[in-house]
Amino acid sequence: MTDRPGTPPAPTGPSGPTGGKLLDAVAVMDTLRSPGGCPWDAEQTHRSLLRYLLEECYELVQAIEDDDQAAMREELGDVLLQVLFHARIAAETPAAAGGFTIDDVAGDLVDKLVRRHPHVFAAGAGAAGAAAAAGQPADSAPDAGPSTAQDQQTRWDELKKAERTSKNGKAHVLDGVALAQPAVALAGKLGSRAAKFDDHTPLPDGDSAAEQIFRIAYAAGAVGIDPETALRQVAREHAERMRAGTIDVPPAGQRQGSTGVSD
């Protein structure tokens, strides 16, 4: 396989190049999906796998929040399985019809990482190479990269905005915002984007619980707070207090306010 320009050499470990087992994982997924493989795997579609992708991501989040290294290792593998699975399904569609392979996915990722770190990967190519990677004229190439994490975040925002502009003709406040993300996270993201783009679209001003929650999460995002993470931390802390409590729980139909259906 030919290396892409600016791609760093593959790191090596005690048993050879790091990432070698990824090829084994790709081969196993291919066997499971191929004739004579697993009937369940063969029947899955992108949509049928959505619930598993979400579940595995949430399980990884919990492992990280619990600082459970063993669980993190396992859950990262489960998330990787979802990546391999979706890529294998996509490979069954001709490229002309939008199909792609796991190599396409990895290649696009490498290109993106290199493109968004021109000060790292273009250093050996000189000022002109760094400028080209950053989408700048050669005579405006920076002498040095960002010196702090905040500088890097600002630079990323500039690069992503330039990418969206070149792709769509102009950058929109909602470009790249995943509308399928959890509601509190989405509200926070909208607030963050509004602050960055100086957008003043009026917020819903009703008194419903949903509208009040939206305004709080939106305001948090606008000042750089991740409301989803913050709220989940509060909820988990309260869950631990509930777990530690010693209360008698009556049957579902006798609980105060219980519907006897969903709680």
Side-chain angles (χ1 to χ4, degrees), residues 87-107:
R88 179 61 178 79
I89 293 173
E92 295 166 11
T93 299
F100 54 86
T101 69
I102 190 65
D103 280 343
D104 294 324
V105 174

Side-chain angles (χ1 to χ4, degrees), residues 36-82:
C38 174
W40 185 89
D41 288 337
E43 292 179 355
Q44 300 312 303
T45 67
H46 291 304
R47 288 187 176 275
S48 72
L49 291 173
L50 273 178
R51 57 172 290 192
Y52 303 107
L53 175 60
L54 291 173
E55 288 174 1
E56 301 301 355
C57 287
Y58 280 125
E59 289 174 6
L60 175 58
V61 168
Q62 181 168 342
I64 293 172
E65 291 181 343
D66 292 344
D67 197 23
D68 187 333
Q69 296 289 320
M72 285 174 58
R73 175 175 174 172
E74 178 181 355
E75 299 307 336
L76 281 168
D78 289 341
V79 172
L80 175 59
L81 168 60
Q82 296 303 309

Side-chain angles (χ1 to χ4, degrees), residues 42 45 55 59 68 86-87 91 95 98 108 116 124 137 142 148 162 177 193 200 215 219 222 243 250 256 263:
T45 67
E55 288 174 1
E59 289 174 6
D68 187 333
H86 282 281
D108 289 349
R116 292 185 179 177
T148 68
V177 174
R193 283 299 183 86
H200 298 284
R215 290 195 296 269
R243 189 188 306 278
Q256 182 178 1
D263 59 352

